[in-house]
């Protein structure tokens, strides 16, 4: 259980303070923006409060990493990485398809079918391996955690309060 959301340090993205309970038993939070101004009040179902706090903290921990990545990578570097990723997928598919094509002897019709099938299977496996490698190159650090936390928060019962 997350105990003290209100004691977390202020960062460049703001913070979240647990300020009590609503009259209908929901946990009440105050969202403070980066300038220190109160920007919104949210209420969360009590059984989802821990999940909300953990997901919010995950987002706040990974947001600076994402911003740093975007700032250090210019459009040219990002484009270069994307091209490299495309070549990895293409190269993986080609290499995965060429190997069985060269190793299998075509003996009649069924030999031909076997070689085509294994070539396609090898190309698919090589392409899949290329996609995996390309995703590791292109995906910024912290993106997976940020996406997961965002998806969790989007499914919670969170309501704005006045």
């Amino acid at each position: 259980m997350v105990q003290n959301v209100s004691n977390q340090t202020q960062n460049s993205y703001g913070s979240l303070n647990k300020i009590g309970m609503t009259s209908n038993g929901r946990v009440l939070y105050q969202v403070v923006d980066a300038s220190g101004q109160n920007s919104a009040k949210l209420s969360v179902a009590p059984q989802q409060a821990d999940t909300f706090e953990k997901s919010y903290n995950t987002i706040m921990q990974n947001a600076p990493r994402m911003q740093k990545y975007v700032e250090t990578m210019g459009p040219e570097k990002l484009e270069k990485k994307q091209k490299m990723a495309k070549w990895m997928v293409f190269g993986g598919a080609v290499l995965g398809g060429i190997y069985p094509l060269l190793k299998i002897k075509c003996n009649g019709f069924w030999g031909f079918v076997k070689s085509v099938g294994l070539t396609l299977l090898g190309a698919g496996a090589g392409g899949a391996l290329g996609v995996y490698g390309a995703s590791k190159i292109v995906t910024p650090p912290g993106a997976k955690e940020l996406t997961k936390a965002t998806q969790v928060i989007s499914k919670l019962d969170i309501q704005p309060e006045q």
Side-chain angles (χ1 to χ4, degrees), residues 109-120:
F109 176 74
W110 292 113
F112 174 74
V113 170
K114 180 180 174 183
S115 69
V116 169
L118 289 175
T119 300
L120 291 175

Side-chain angles (χ1 to χ4, degrees), residues 122-141:
L129 191 60
V131 167
Y132 176 76
S135 70
K136 292 294 183 186
I137 287 177
V138 176
T139 305

Side-chain angles (χ1 to χ4, degrees), residues 40-152:
K41 285 185 182 177
L42 303 171
S43 70
V44 180
Q47 64 273 20
Q48 296 176 340
D50 289 341
T51 305
F52 172 70
E53 292 173 10
K54 288 176 186 175
S55 297
Y56 182 85
N57 287 334
T58 300
I59 290 171
M60 288 298 118
Q61 290 169 357
N62 288 297
R65 293 172 63 194
M66 294 288 289
Q67 184 177 4
K68 183 179 177 186
Y69 178 82
V70 170
E71 289 171 354
T72 58
M73 302 296 279
E76 302 85 25
K77 284 185 180 179
L78 288 174
E79 188 175 321
K80 195 176 194 180
K81 278 190 167 192
Q82 288 174 342
K83 282 183 182 179
M84 185 187 324
K86 288 177 186 176
W87 278 106
M88 285 180 73
V89 174
F90 177 73
V94 168
L95 292 175
I98 286 178
Y99 183 76
L101 186 63
L102 296 176
K103 291 291 183 180
I104 296 174
K105 306 282 189 249
C106 284
N107 296 331
F109 176 74
W110 292 113
F112 174 74
V113 170
K114 180 180 174 183
S115 69
V116 169
L118 289 175
T119 300
L120 291 175
L121 188 63
L129 191 60
V131 167
Y132 176 76
S135 70
K136 292 294 183 186
I137 287 177
V138 176
T139 305
K144 182 179 176 182
E145 295 86 3
L146 189 72
T147 302
K148 185 176 179 182
T150 304
Q151 289 173 347
V152 167

